[in-house]
């Protein structure tokens, strides 16, 4: 490597680094104003019961159409919102919007549940339980129809504050769902220690289950485990009829994925609820 090449390389790396830092800063800056500017929207992805082929709930998923940056995906802006603390006000916005949108769905469908993602940073907010109690009261939304999707990381770290919050939420009647199940540092002991109601099998396992024997076994094991522990089980990321058939054979209770529906706006959920059964894409 000549000296000049070395220098070029260095310049190349600092340039890349600068670009990613400036993108990050831009996102943080514009995200700060996004709530007030009305740039955040909540989309909903249906969850279907396999047995009845009917919609039994939705997962709320945040969307950001920035006037400055265009459409930015949650996988990019949620981590930045977490690091900057912005996830707390943003998460409150999602909760308020979702409770208000889902009010009529739970009134219409006796089993219907609303699932909302809660990041570890939101979970460490001491006011989380109080905020939820206040919003449930204000909206009249039944606590037993609200489900918080948390990741294994929250439970793995544990600690007295996490345990207190979990116990309080459980007492309030709110359900807990273990999102992305199988991707964390799974020690299964937390399933015994904490009041978890549901496992969501991560889509990376579902996606390979019809071509990879090991993934198929893991999905099957997660379904048996849920059954044994009396937990609800949801397979996420179902994209093909083959996957749906395999899951159905394994008696997986609930499915969610692009095959059934992409995340859509609240109005489209109204329309999908009118249909008696799922319509595969
Ligand atoms: P997640 O909670 O695991 O959500 C599922 C993600 O998988 C969503 O991506 C959804 O659009 C996508 N998905 C669903 N079905 C399929 C499928 O069949 N194929 C494929 N390829 N993807 C599918 P999305 O909306 O981009 O969200 C990404 C992540 O961002 C979420 O993962 C969640 O961790 C986080 N997130 C989204 N909204 C919120 C929010 O309001 N609060 C918090 N704290 N996190 C959120
Ligand atoms: Mg989720
Ligand atoms: Mg997930
Ligand atoms: Mg996730």
């Amino acid at each position: 490597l000549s000296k000049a090449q070395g220098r070029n390389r260095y310049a190349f790396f600092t340039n890349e680094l600068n670009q990613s830092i400036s993108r990050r800063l831009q996102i943080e800056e514009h995200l700060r104003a996004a709530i007030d500017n009305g740039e955040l929207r909540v989309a909903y992805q249906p969850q279907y019961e396999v047995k009845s082929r009917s919609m039994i709930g939705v997962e709320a998923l945040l969307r950001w159409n920035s006037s400055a940056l265009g459409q930015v995906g949650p996988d990019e802006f949620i981590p930045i919102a977490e690091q900057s603390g912005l996830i707390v006000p943003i998460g409150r916005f999602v909760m308020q919007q979702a409770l208000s949108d889902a009010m009529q769905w739970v009134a219409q469908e006796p089993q219907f549940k609303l699932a909302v993602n809660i990041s570890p940073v939101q979970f460490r907010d001491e006011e989380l339980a109080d905020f939820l109690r206040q919003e449930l009261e204000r909206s009249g939304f039944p606590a037993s129809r609200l489900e918080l999707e948390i990741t294994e990381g929250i439970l793995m770290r544990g600690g007295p504050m996490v345990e207190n919050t979990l116990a309080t939420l459980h007492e309030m009647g709110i359900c807990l769902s273990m999102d992305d199940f199988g991707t964390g540092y799974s020690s299964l002991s937390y399933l015994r220690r904490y009041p978890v109601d549901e496992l969501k099998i991560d889509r990376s396992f579902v996606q390979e289950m019809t071509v990879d024997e090991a993934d198929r076994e893991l999905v099957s094991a997660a379904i048996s485990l849920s059954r044994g522990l009396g937990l609800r089980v949801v397979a996420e990321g179902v994209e093909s009829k083959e996957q749906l058939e395999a899951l159905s054979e394994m008696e997986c209770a609930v499915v969610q994925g692009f095959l059934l529906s992409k995340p859509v706006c609240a109005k489209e959920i109204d329309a999908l609820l009118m249909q008696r059964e799922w319509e595969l894409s």
Side-chain angles (χ1 to χ4, degrees):
L1 210 69
S2 76
K3 245 189 184 162
Q5 271 175 317
R7 219 178 291 128
N8 280 340
R9 260 196 175 191
Y10 178 72
F12 174 76
F13 281 123
T14 46
N15 197 20
E16 282 236 310
L17 190 62
N18 282 338
Q19 274 175 15
S20 80
I21 290 172
S22 95
R23 167 85 177 163
R24 215 194 150 283
L25 289 173
Q26 276 184 331
I27 287 178
E28 187 177 331
E29 179 197 325
H30 294 293
L31 196 52
R32 225 167 262 284
I35 300 183
D36 292 337
N37 295 345
E39 294 176 352
L40 297 178
R41 293 264 180 285
V42 183
Y44 301 92
Q45 188 175 32
Q47 300 184 332
Y48 286 93
E49 184 182 56
V50 177
K51 193 175 56 181
S52 64
R53 304 177 170 215
S54 62
M55 200 196 299
I56 55 151
V58 290
E59 176 179 6
L61 292 161
L62 188 56
R63 296 291 175 259
W64 179 26
N65 190 4
S66 161
S67 57
L69 304 169
Q71 200 78 40
V72 186
D75 279 330
E76 188 175 13
F77 73 78
I78 295 281
I80 296 170
E82 289 174 338
Q83 284 153 27
S84 60
L86 283 170
I87 192 66
V88 172
I90 287 174
R92 291 184 174 184
F93 163 81
V94 173
M95 187 61 71
Q96 288 168 331
Q97 184 67 51
L99 289 175
S100 133
D101 286 336
M103 216 37 209
Q104 50 161 332
W105 304 328
V106 299
Q108 214 173 311
E109 297 292 324
Q111 290 192 70
F112 201 95
K113 279 209 176 131
L114 166 69
V116 180
N117 292 287
I118 301 286
S119 87
V121 178
Q122 292 168 272
F123 214 84
R124 275 183 251 125
D125 170 22
E126 282 171 25
E127 288 164 27
L128 177 67
D130 284 340
F131 168 77
L132 288 172
R133 188 175 290 120
Q134 171 197 311
E135 287 308 314
L136 290 171
E137 209 157 281
R138 202 175 56 85
S139 63
F141 193 94
S144 61
R145 307 293 201 88
L146 176 62
E147 187 161 63
L148 305 183
E149 293 197 2
I150 61 176
T151 49
E152 290 166 291
I154 294 180
L155 301 188
M156 292 312 290
R157 273 215 225 132
M161 217 210 93
V162 167
E163 304 216 350
N164 273 339
T165 306
L166 283 168
T168 307
L169 297 174
H170 185 66
E171 275 162 32
M172 287 168 68
I174 295 173
C175 302
L176 286 178
S177 174
M178 188 61 52
D179 204 352
D180 306 337
F181 183 73
T183 58
Y185 305 92
S186 304
S187 147
L188 295 177
S189 65
Y190 58 63
L191 292 178
R192 191 180 54 184
R193 285 212 312 272
Y194 299 110
V196 173
D197 304 281
E198 177 186 282
L199 297 186
K200 283 192 91 170
I201 305 173
D202 190 67
R203 72 165 190 259
S204 59
F205 300 106
V206 174
Q207 246 139 40
E208 298 287 306
M209 70 179 286
T210 49
V211 289
D212 185 320
E213 189 58 37
D215 282 323
R216 192 187 167 86
E217 284 304 322
L218 286 167
V219 170
S220 169
I223 293 169
S224 308
L225 179 68
S226 328
R227 192 176 301 127
L229 294 172
L231 306 177
R232 215 164 81 117
V233 64
V234 179
E236 68 179 0
V238 179
E239 290 184 349
S240 73
K241 289 189 175 138
E242 291 72 28
Q243 289 160 3
L244 180 60
E245 256 161 48
L247 289 162
S248 167
E249 270 168 34
M250 294 173 184
E251 295 184 45
C252 178
V254 183
V255 287
Q256 175 183 351
F258 292 170
L259 176 70
L260 301 130
S261 169
K262 293 204 166 177
V264 296
C265 66
K267 268 223 173 77
E268 274 187 66
I269 295 293
D270 295 341
L272 287 172
L273 266 176
M274 303 267 279
Q275 296 175 9
R276 212 177 50 82
E277 278 189 2
W278 66 36
E279 224 167 77
L280 304 184
S281 67

